[in-house]
Short mmCIF file of all heavy atoms in Angstrom, two decimals:
data_model
loop_
_atom_site.label_atom_id
_atom_site.label_comp_id
_atom_site.label_asym_id
_atom_site.label_seq_id
_atom_site.Cartn_x
_atom_site.Cartn_y
_atom_site.Cartn_z
N GLU T 1 -19.55 5.05 -19.08
CA GLU T 1 -20.10 3.70 -19.20
C GLU T 1 -21.09 3.35 -18.09
O GLU T 1 -21.97 2.51 -18.28
CB GLU T 1 -18.96 2.67 -19.21
CG GLU T 1 -17.93 2.86 -20.31
CD GLU T 1 -18.47 2.48 -21.68
OE1 GLU T 1 -19.48 1.73 -21.73
OE2 GLU T 1 -17.91 2.95 -22.69
N HIS T 2 -20.93 3.97 -16.92
CA HIS T 2 -21.73 3.56 -15.75
C HIS T 2 -22.60 4.68 -15.18
O HIS T 2 -23.32 4.46 -14.21
CB HIS T 2 -20.81 3.00 -14.66
CG HIS T 2 -19.96 1.86 -15.13
ND1 HIS T 2 -20.43 0.56 -15.23
CD2 HIS T 2 -18.67 1.82 -15.56
CE1 HIS T 2 -19.47 -0.22 -15.69
NE2 HIS T 2 -18.39 0.51 -15.90
N GLY T 3 -22.52 5.87 -15.76
CA GLY T 3 -23.37 6.97 -15.30
C GLY T 3 -23.05 7.50 -13.93
O GLY T 3 -23.87 8.18 -13.31
N VAL T 4 -21.84 7.22 -13.43
CA VAL T 4 -21.42 7.72 -12.11
C VAL T 4 -20.66 9.03 -12.34
O VAL T 4 -19.47 9.02 -12.68
CB VAL T 4 -20.55 6.69 -11.36
CG1 VAL T 4 -20.19 7.21 -9.97
CG2 VAL T 4 -21.25 5.35 -11.27
N ASN T 5 -21.34 10.16 -12.16
CA ASN T 5 -20.75 11.46 -12.48
C ASN T 5 -20.21 12.20 -11.27
O ASN T 5 -19.37 13.09 -11.41
CB ASN T 5 -21.78 12.35 -13.18
CG ASN T 5 -22.33 11.72 -14.43
OD1 ASN T 5 -23.26 10.92 -14.36
ND2 ASN T 5 -21.77 12.06 -15.57
N ASN T 6 -20.71 11.86 -10.07
CA ASN T 6 -20.27 12.55 -8.85
C ASN T 6 -18.95 11.95 -8.38
O ASN T 6 -18.87 11.23 -7.39
CB ASN T 6 -21.35 12.44 -7.77
CG ASN T 6 -21.04 13.30 -6.56
OD1 ASN T 6 -20.30 14.30 -6.66
ND2 ASN T 6 -21.56 12.92 -5.41
N VAL T 7 -17.91 12.25 -9.16
CA VAL T 7 -16.59 11.63 -8.98
C VAL T 7 -15.55 12.73 -8.84
O VAL T 7 -15.63 13.76 -9.53
CB VAL T 7 -16.24 10.72 -10.17
CG1 VAL T 7 -14.84 10.14 -10.04
CG2 VAL T 7 -17.27 9.61 -10.33
N ALA T 8 -14.58 12.50 -7.97
CA ALA T 8 -13.43 13.42 -7.86
C ALA T 8 -12.15 12.66 -8.14
O ALA T 8 -11.96 11.53 -7.66
CB ALA T 8 -13.37 14.04 -6.47
N VAL T 9 -11.27 13.26 -8.93
CA VAL T 9 -9.91 12.75 -9.13
C VAL T 9 -8.99 13.67 -8.35
O VAL T 9 -8.92 14.87 -8.62
CB VAL T 9 -9.53 12.74 -10.62
CG1 VAL T 9 -8.08 12.26 -10.78
CG2 VAL T 9 -10.47 11.85 -11.42
N ILE T 10 -8.30 13.10 -7.36
CA ILE T 10 -7.42 13.89 -6.49
C ILE T 10 -5.97 13.63 -6.87
O ILE T 10 -5.53 12.48 -6.91
CB ILE T 10 -7.65 13.52 -5.01
CG1 ILE T 10 -9.09 13.85 -4.59
CG2 ILE T 10 -6.67 14.24 -4.11
CD1 ILE T 10 -9.41 13.43 -3.18
N GLU T 11 -5.25 14.69 -7.14
CA GLU T 11 -3.85 14.59 -7.57
C GLU T 11 -2.99 15.49 -6.69
O GLU T 11 -3.28 16.67 -6.54
CB GLU T 11 -3.73 14.99 -9.04
CG GLU T 11 -2.32 15.21 -9.55
CD GLU T 11 -1.41 14.01 -9.36
OE1 GLU T 11 -1.84 12.88 -9.66
OE2 GLU T 11 -0.28 14.20 -8.88
N LYS T 12 -1.92 14.92 -6.11
CA LYS T 12 -1.10 15.71 -5.18
C LYS T 12 -0.23 16.74 -5.90
O LYS T 12 0.16 17.75 -5.32
CB LYS T 12 -0.21 14.80 -4.33
CG LYS T 12 0.95 14.15 -5.06
CD LYS T 12 1.85 13.41 -4.08
CE LYS T 12 3.06 12.80 -4.77
NZ LYS T 12 3.94 12.11 -3.81
N GLY T 13 0.07 16.50 -7.17
CA GLY T 13 0.86 17.45 -7.95
C GLY T 13 0.03 18.04 -9.06
O GLY T 13 -0.99 18.66 -8.82
N TRP T 14 0.51 17.82 -10.30
CA TRP T 14 -0.25 18.29 -11.45
C TRP T 14 -0.66 17.09 -12.30
O TRP T 14 -0.03 16.04 -12.27
CB TRP T 14 0.55 19.29 -12.27
CG TRP T 14 1.81 18.75 -12.87
CD1 TRP T 14 1.95 18.22 -14.11
CD2 TRP T 14 3.10 18.66 -12.26
NE1 TRP T 14 3.24 17.81 -14.32
CE2 TRP T 14 3.98 18.07 -13.19
CE3 TRP T 14 3.61 19.03 -11.01
CZ2 TRP T 14 5.32 17.83 -12.92
CZ3 TRP T 14 4.95 18.79 -10.74
CH2 TRP T 14 5.79 18.20 -11.69
N LEU T 15 -1.71 17.28 -13.03
CA LEU T 15 -2.30 16.22 -13.83
C LEU T 15 -1.28 15.62 -14.80
O LEU T 15 -0.62 16.34 -15.53
CB LEU T 15 -3.49 16.81 -14.58
CG LEU T 15 -4.41 15.95 -15.41
CD1 LEU T 15 -5.78 16.58 -15.47
CD2 LEU T 15 -3.85 15.80 -16.82
N GLY T 16 -1.14 14.30 -14.77
CA GLY T 16 -0.21 13.62 -15.67
C GLY T 16 1.24 13.90 -15.38
O GLY T 16 2.10 13.68 -16.24
N GLY T 17 1.56 14.35 -14.15
CA GLY T 17 2.94 14.74 -13.84
C GLY T 17 3.80 13.62 -13.29
O GLY T 17 4.97 13.83 -13.02
N GLY T 18 3.24 12.43 -13.13
CA GLY T 18 4.01 11.30 -12.63
C GLY T 18 4.53 10.45 -13.78
O GLY T 18 5.11 10.95 -14.74
N ASN T 19 4.26 9.14 -13.70
CA ASN T 19 4.76 8.23 -14.73
C ASN T 19 4.12 8.48 -16.10
O ASN T 19 4.73 8.19 -17.13
CB ASN T 19 4.52 6.78 -14.31
CG ASN T 19 5.39 6.38 -13.13
OD1 ASN T 19 6.32 7.09 -12.77
ND2 ASN T 19 5.08 5.27 -12.51
N THR T 20 2.90 9.00 -16.11
CA THR T 20 2.24 9.27 -17.39
C THR T 20 3.07 10.23 -18.24
O THR T 20 3.17 10.07 -19.46
CB THR T 20 0.83 9.87 -17.16
OG1 THR T 20 0.03 8.90 -16.47
CG2 THR T 20 0.16 10.24 -18.47
N GLY T 21 3.68 11.22 -17.62
CA GLY T 21 4.49 12.19 -18.35
C GLY T 21 5.94 11.79 -18.50
O GLY T 21 6.74 12.56 -19.04
N ARG T 22 6.29 10.56 -18.07
CA ARG T 22 7.70 10.17 -18.05
C ARG T 22 7.99 8.88 -18.82
O ARG T 22 9.11 8.40 -18.82
CB ARG T 22 8.17 9.97 -16.59
CG ARG T 22 8.09 11.23 -15.76
CD ARG T 22 8.21 10.93 -14.27
NE ARG T 22 7.96 12.14 -13.49
CZ ARG T 22 8.89 12.98 -13.08
NH1 ARG T 22 10.15 12.73 -13.36
NH2 ARG T 22 8.59 14.05 -12.40
N ASN T 23 6.97 8.29 -19.43
CA ASN T 23 7.18 6.99 -20.06
C ASN T 23 7.64 7.13 -21.51
O ASN T 23 7.71 8.23 -22.05
CB ASN T 23 5.91 6.15 -19.96
CG ASN T 23 4.80 6.70 -20.82
OD1 ASN T 23 4.76 6.46 -22.01
ND2 ASN T 23 3.91 7.47 -20.21
N THR T 24 7.90 5.98 -22.13
CA THR T 24 8.44 5.99 -23.49
C THR T 24 7.38 5.70 -24.55
O THR T 24 7.71 5.40 -25.69
CB THR T 24 9.60 4.98 -23.62
OG1 THR T 24 9.18 3.72 -23.09
CG2 THR T 24 10.81 5.45 -22.84
N THR T 25 6.11 5.77 -24.18
CA THR T 25 4.94 5.86 -25.08
C THR T 25 4.67 4.62 -25.93
O THR T 25 3.93 4.69 -26.90
CB THR T 25 5.03 7.09 -26.01
OG1 THR T 25 5.97 6.86 -27.05
CG2 THR T 25 5.41 8.34 -25.24
N ILE T 26 5.24 3.47 -25.59
CA ILE T 26 5.06 2.27 -26.42
C ILE T 26 3.72 1.60 -26.10
O ILE T 26 3.32 1.52 -24.95
CB ILE T 26 6.22 1.28 -26.21
CG1 ILE T 26 7.54 1.92 -26.65
CG2 ILE T 26 5.98 -0.03 -26.97
CD1 ILE T 26 8.76 1.13 -26.24
N ILE T 27 3.05 1.11 -27.15
CA ILE T 27 1.78 0.41 -27.03
C ILE T 27 1.90 -0.94 -27.74
O ILE T 27 2.34 -1.00 -28.89
CB ILE T 27 0.63 1.23 -27.66
CG1 ILE T 27 0.44 2.54 -26.91
CG2 ILE T 27 -0.66 0.43 -27.68
CD1 ILE T 27 -0.45 3.51 -27.65
N ARG T 28 1.51 -2.00 -27.05
CA ARG T 28 1.47 -3.33 -27.67
C ARG T 28 0.59 -4.23 -26.82
O ARG T 28 0.24 -3.88 -25.68
CB ARG T 28 2.88 -3.93 -27.80
CG ARG T 28 3.60 -4.17 -26.48
CD ARG T 28 5.04 -4.63 -26.69
NE ARG T 28 5.74 -4.85 -25.43
CZ ARG T 28 5.81 -6.01 -24.79
NH1 ARG T 28 5.22 -7.09 -25.30
NH2 ARG T 28 6.47 -6.13 -23.65
N SER T 29 0.24 -5.41 -27.35
CA SER T 29 -0.57 -6.35 -26.59
C SER T 29 -0.09 -7.78 -26.73
O SER T 29 -0.81 -8.72 -26.40
CB SER T 29 -2.04 -6.26 -27.05
OG SER T 29 -2.18 -6.66 -28.40
N ASN T 30 1.13 -7.98 -27.25
CA ASN T 30 1.63 -9.33 -27.54
C ASN T 30 2.25 -9.98 -26.30
O ASN T 30 3.43 -10.31 -26.27
CB ASN T 30 2.62 -9.30 -28.71
CG ASN T 30 3.78 -8.34 -28.49
OD1 ASN T 30 3.75 -7.49 -27.60
ND2 ASN T 30 4.83 -8.49 -29.29
N TYR T 31 1.42 -10.22 -25.29
CA TYR T 31 1.85 -10.88 -24.06
C TYR T 31 1.53 -12.36 -24.12
O TYR T 31 0.61 -12.79 -24.83
CB TYR T 31 1.16 -10.23 -22.85
CG TYR T 31 1.79 -8.91 -22.48
CD1 TYR T 31 1.50 -7.76 -23.21
CD2 TYR T 31 2.70 -8.81 -21.43
CE1 TYR T 31 2.10 -6.55 -22.89
CE2 TYR T 31 3.29 -7.61 -21.11
CZ TYR T 31 2.99 -6.48 -21.84
OH TYR T 31 3.58 -5.29 -21.52
N LEU T 32 2.26 -13.17 -23.36
CA LEU T 32 2.13 -14.62 -23.46
C LEU T 32 0.86 -15.15 -22.80
O LEU T 32 0.07 -15.84 -23.41
CB LEU T 32 3.36 -15.29 -22.84
CG LEU T 32 3.30 -16.83 -22.81
CD1 LEU T 32 3.33 -17.39 -24.22
CD2 LEU T 32 4.43 -17.42 -21.98
N TRP T 33 0.66 -14.82 -21.52
CA TRP T 33 -0.43 -15.46 -20.78
C TRP T 33 -1.78 -14.89 -21.20
O TRP T 33 -1.91 -13.70 -21.52
CB TRP T 33 -0.22 -15.29 -19.28
CG TRP T 33 1.06 -15.89 -18.78
CD1 TRP T 33 2.06 -15.26 -18.13
CD2 TRP T 33 1.49 -17.25 -18.93
NE1 TRP T 33 3.09 -16.12 -17.85
CE2 TRP T 33 2.77 -17.35 -18.33
CE3 TRP T 33 0.94 -18.39 -19.51
CZ2 TRP T 33 3.48 -18.55 -18.30
CZ3 TRP T 33 1.66 -19.59 -19.47
CH2 TRP T 33 2.91 -19.65 -18.87
N ASP T 34 -2.79 -15.75 -21.17
CA ASP T 34 -4.13 -15.36 -21.62
C ASP T 34 -4.65 -14.15 -20.87
O ASP T 34 -5.27 -13.25 -21.45
CB ASP T 34 -5.11 -16.52 -21.45
CG ASP T 34 -4.78 -17.72 -22.33
OD1 ASP T 34 -3.94 -17.56 -23.24
OD2 ASP T 34 -5.35 -18.80 -22.12
N GLU T 35 -4.43 -14.11 -19.55
CA GLU T 35 -4.94 -13.02 -18.73
C GLU T 35 -4.32 -11.69 -19.14
O GLU T 35 -5.01 -10.67 -19.28
CB GLU T 35 -4.67 -13.29 -17.25
CG GLU T 35 -5.35 -14.53 -16.70
CD GLU T 35 -4.52 -15.80 -16.88
OE1 GLU T 35 -3.51 -15.76 -17.62
OE2 GLU T 35 -4.88 -16.84 -16.30
N SER T 36 -3.00 -11.68 -19.35
CA SER T 36 -2.31 -10.46 -19.76
C SER T 36 -2.74 -10.05 -21.16
O SER T 36 -3.03 -8.87 -21.42
CB SER T 36 -0.79 -10.67 -19.74
OG SER T 36 -0.35 -11.05 -18.46
N ALA T 37 -2.78 -11.02 -22.06
CA ALA T 37 -3.16 -10.72 -23.44
C ALA T 37 -4.56 -10.12 -23.50
O ALA T 37 -4.82 -9.20 -24.27
CB ALA T 37 -3.09 -11.99 -24.28
N GLY T 38 -5.46 -10.61 -22.65
CA GLY T 38 -6.84 -10.13 -22.66
C GLY T 38 -6.95 -8.66 -22.33
O GLY T 38 -7.58 -7.88 -23.06
N ILE T 39 -6.30 -8.24 -21.24
CA ILE T 39 -6.45 -6.85 -20.81
C ILE T 39 -5.64 -5.90 -21.69
O ILE T 39 -6.09 -4.78 -22.00
CB ILE T 39 -6.08 -6.70 -19.31
CG1 ILE T 39 -6.59 -5.34 -18.79
CG2 ILE T 39 -4.59 -6.86 -19.06
CD1 ILE T 39 -6.60 -5.24 -17.29
N TYR T 40 -4.46 -6.33 -22.15
CA TYR T 40 -3.67 -5.46 -23.02
C TYR T 40 -4.30 -5.34 -24.41
O TYR T 40 -4.22 -4.29 -25.04
CB TYR T 40 -2.23 -5.97 -23.12
CG TYR T 40 -1.37 -5.61 -21.94
CD1 TYR T 40 -1.02 -6.57 -20.98
CD2 TYR T 40 -0.91 -4.32 -21.75
CE1 TYR T 40 -0.23 -6.24 -19.89
CE2 TYR T 40 -0.12 -3.98 -20.66
CZ TYR T 40 0.21 -4.95 -19.73
OH TYR T 40 0.99 -4.62 -18.65
N GLU T 41 -4.92 -6.41 -24.90
CA GLU T 41 -5.59 -6.33 -26.20
C GLU T 41 -6.82 -5.43 -26.11
O GLU T 41 -7.11 -4.65 -27.03
CB GLU T 41 -5.98 -7.73 -26.68
CG GLU T 41 -6.74 -7.77 -27.99
CD GLU T 41 -5.97 -7.20 -29.18
OE1 GLU T 41 -4.73 -7.06 -29.09
OE2 GLU T 41 -6.61 -6.89 -30.21
N LYS T 42 -7.57 -5.51 -25.00
CA LYS T 42 -8.70 -4.59 -24.81
C LYS T 42 -8.21 -3.15 -24.82
O LYS T 42 -8.83 -2.26 -25.42
CB LYS T 42 -9.38 -4.90 -23.47
CG LYS T 42 -10.51 -3.93 -23.09
CD LYS T 42 -11.66 -3.99 -24.08
CE LYS T 42 -12.78 -3.05 -23.68
NZ LYS T 42 -13.90 -3.07 -24.66
N SER T 43 -7.07 -2.92 -24.18
CA SER T 43 -6.50 -1.58 -24.15
C SER T 43 -6.11 -1.10 -25.54
O SER T 43 -6.39 0.04 -25.93
CB SER T 43 -5.29 -1.55 -23.22
OG SER T 43 -4.83 -0.25 -23.02
N LEU T 44 -5.47 -1.98 -26.31
CA LEU T 44 -5.07 -1.60 -27.67
C LEU T 44 -6.29 -1.30 -28.54
O LEU T 44 -6.28 -0.34 -29.33
CB LEU T 44 -4.22 -2.72 -28.29
CG LEU T 44 -3.69 -2.49 -29.70
CD1 LEU T 44 -2.94 -1.17 -29.83
CD2 LEU T 44 -2.79 -3.65 -30.13
N GLN T 45 -7.34 -2.09 -28.38
CA GLN T 45 -8.56 -1.82 -29.14
C GLN T 45 -9.16 -0.46 -28.77
O GLN T 45 -9.63 0.27 -29.64
CB GLN T 45 -9.57 -2.94 -28.88
CG GLN T 45 -9.19 -4.27 -29.49
CD GLN T 45 -10.09 -5.41 -29.03
OE1 GLN T 45 -11.05 -5.20 -28.29
NE2 GLN T 45 -9.77 -6.62 -29.45
#
């Protein structure tokens, strides 16, 4: 989106080995407050 390609992602273990590989995979956006609903709905889209 921004054309910034000279980027490094540094990971102390292995890729996706933390919470990403340990969660229960649920996706939703039905949060009460406008601020929460906005970012979670963008994510769902």
Side-chain angles (χ1 to χ4, degrees):
E1 302 288 340
H2 303 280
V4 183
N5 302 84
N6 188 24
V7 177
V9 177
I10 297 176
E11 168 56 46
K12 73 173 183 179
W14 62 93
L15 185 153
N19 291 347
T20 297
R22 298 166 187 268
N23 69 82
T24 50
T25 76
I26 298 169
I27 296 168
R28 62 186 179 93
S29 64
N30 56 345
Y31 283 78
L32 177 67
W33 300 122
D34 295 348
E35 298 87 349
S36 302
I39 195 165
Y40 281 106
E41 177 62 17
K42 175 64 179 178
S43 188
L44 181 53
Q45 290 170 4

